[in-house]
Amino acid sequence: MRSTADRIRQALSFEFIGIVIVTPLFAWVFDHHIGDMGALVVLGATAATMWNYIFNLVFDHVLNWRRGDVRKTMLLRIVHAVLFETTLLVLLLPLFAWWLGVPLIAALVMEISFAAFYMGYAFVFTWGYDTLFPPQRTARTA
């Protein structure tokens, strides 16, 4: 299992790198002012950071409970990324629509685009993070 400090480092580095990449890219793609998009991305990243911590903690506890190990197979990495992005999409959809003043369907298209980007990004980032900072093995719990 990861320590609290390690989980915080993982969540903050994930969001910081994501903000640097996604803000200018999506401001250009969706033709919104970079300031508006930047503020939305920071708000979303703040919510995502909190959710990232909670989601990963629960996911690791479930893995440890079910398998006695928190290391992820390729299939588990895919499931992890899809579940995280799907739940985050549901949480952030109203914020996107309200902040950008767009209908829910337009916000949904944006959110799906963000989710697709972040799903791939989460997969690559988490794999890289686990390679650089491998989780410690834990004994199977009853």
Side-chain angles (χ1 to χ4, degrees):
M1 297 283 285
R2 295 192 178 280
S3 68
T4 298
D6 188 33
R7 289 180 188 283
I8 291 169
R9 176 181 58 193
Q10 179 184 24
L12 292 177
S13 58
F14 176 86
E15 295 305 333
F16 177 76
I17 293 167
I19 289 169
V20 169
I21 295 169
V22 83
T23 299
L25 177 64
F26 279 78
W28 175 69
V29 168
F30 292 112
D31 195 30
H32 281 274
H33 187 270
I34 196 164
D36 290 340
M37 192 60 74
L40 178 63
V41 169
V42 169
L43 285 171
T46 301
T49 298
M50 292 184 288
W51 182 237
N52 184 308
Y53 179 85
I54 294 165
F55 183 86
N56 286 322
L57 181 63
V58 170
F59 198 90
D60 282 355
H61 278 286
V62 170
L63 282 181
N64 196 43
W65 170 65
R66 296 288 294 159
R67 299 172 61 232
D69 192 357
V70 296
R71 291 176 297 157
K72 298 172 189 77
T73 63
M74 186 64 69
L75 179 59
L76 279 173
R77 289 184 184 285
I78 293 167
V79 168
H80 178 270
V82 170
L83 282 175
F84 177 78
E85 291 303 330
T86 300
T87 55
L88 189 60
L89 183 141
V90 170
L91 293 170
L92 293 180
L93 184 62
L95 175 66
F96 268 63
W98 173 76
W99 187 266
L100 296 174
V102 298
L104 281 175
I105 193 72
L108 181 62
V109 170
M110 288 180 185
E111 274 280 347
I112 289 170
S113 299
F114 272 93
F117 169 83
Y118 270 100
M119 205 176 317
Y121 170 63
F123 178 83
V124 171
F125 177 90
T126 305
W127 192 352
Y129 191 89
D130 286 349
T131 301
L132 291 171
F133 308 102
Q136 296 180 6
R137 287 183 173 215
T138 58
R140 181 176 218 114
T141 56

